[in-house]
Amino acid sequence: MVNRYVVSAASPDGSEGPVVAFAEQKRLALKEQVTFYTDESRAEALAAFKARKIIDLASGYDVVDASGTSIGMFRKDFGKSLLRSTWHVQQPGLPTYTGTERRLSVALLRRFSDSLEWLPYHFDFSVGASIAFSVDRKWGLRDRYAIEINDPRLDRRLVIAMAVALDALQSR
């Protein structure tokens, strides 16, 4: 009863490269918490995210490094997410990035038909017209995502946490 996440870097040819993060999420937890490790051995923690409250539709999630120091936070914008999922990501010293589902048509189809939950979705996180990073769900039997980071100032651990949260928390 866990969701398993293996994050790999992309090789120059586009294939999967080395593992950069590994996590497992317990399903049906009252207070969401996901810890990321450097690999499947779980010997070295990389980062974690944890819900601020047990149940709150607009609650935030704090992201910390292995020593517990804040990397940033993210939260779902519940009001805007009724039609098109919207998330906000904050990293100290940087502006707030807003991520929305790229295609309104796919967002609406997924909301009004449980049988279409498998449809791929795509999120672009930006400030204004400048896209800082994107998360694209790929077609396939297994859930697979491609993350593209355009803003080099962003902490990769924060982006990985947000990408995993999209999968783990999106339907809540």
Side-chain angles (χ1 to χ4, degrees), residues 7-29:
V7 182
S8 301
S11 294
D13 66 359
S15 64
E16 282 186 24
V19 171
V20 295
F22 170 81
E24 289 183 337
Q25 174 217 17
K26 292 180 185 176
R27 294 182 191 172
L28 305 174

Side-chain angles (χ1 to χ4, degrees), residues 139-164:
W139 288 97
L141 296 175
R142 293 183 1 213
D143 288 343
R144 295 175 48 94
Y145 298 85
I147 303 168
E148 183 176 332
I149 302 172
N150 300 317
D151 187 338
R153 302 173 299 166
L154 280 167
D155 189 309
R156 302 308 190 248
R157 299 167 298 179
L158 178 60
V159 174
I160 290 169
M162 183 71 251
V164 167

Side-chain angles (χ1 to χ4, degrees), residues 6 9 13 28 30 36 45-46 51 60 74 77 103 105 109 151:
V6 179
D13 66 359
L28 305 174
L30 288 177
F36 296 89
L46 180 67
F74 57 85
D77 188 325
R103 295 189 183 113
S105 58
L109 283 171
D151 187 338

Side-chain angles (χ1 to χ4, degrees), residues 89-108:
V89 177
Q90 296 173 322
Q91 178 178 315
L94 296 178
T96 299
Y97 298 94
T98 300
T100 57
E101 287 181 89
R102 192 177 299 154
R103 295 189 183 113
L104 179 60
S105 58
V106 172
L108 292 173

Side-chain angles (χ1 to χ4, degrees), residues 2 13 21 30 41 47 52 56 60 107 122 124 138 147 154 165:
V2 298
D13 66 359
L30 288 177
S41 72
R52 290 181 174 173
D56 184 356
H122 314 287
D124 293 318
K138 302 294 183 185
I147 303 168
L154 280 167

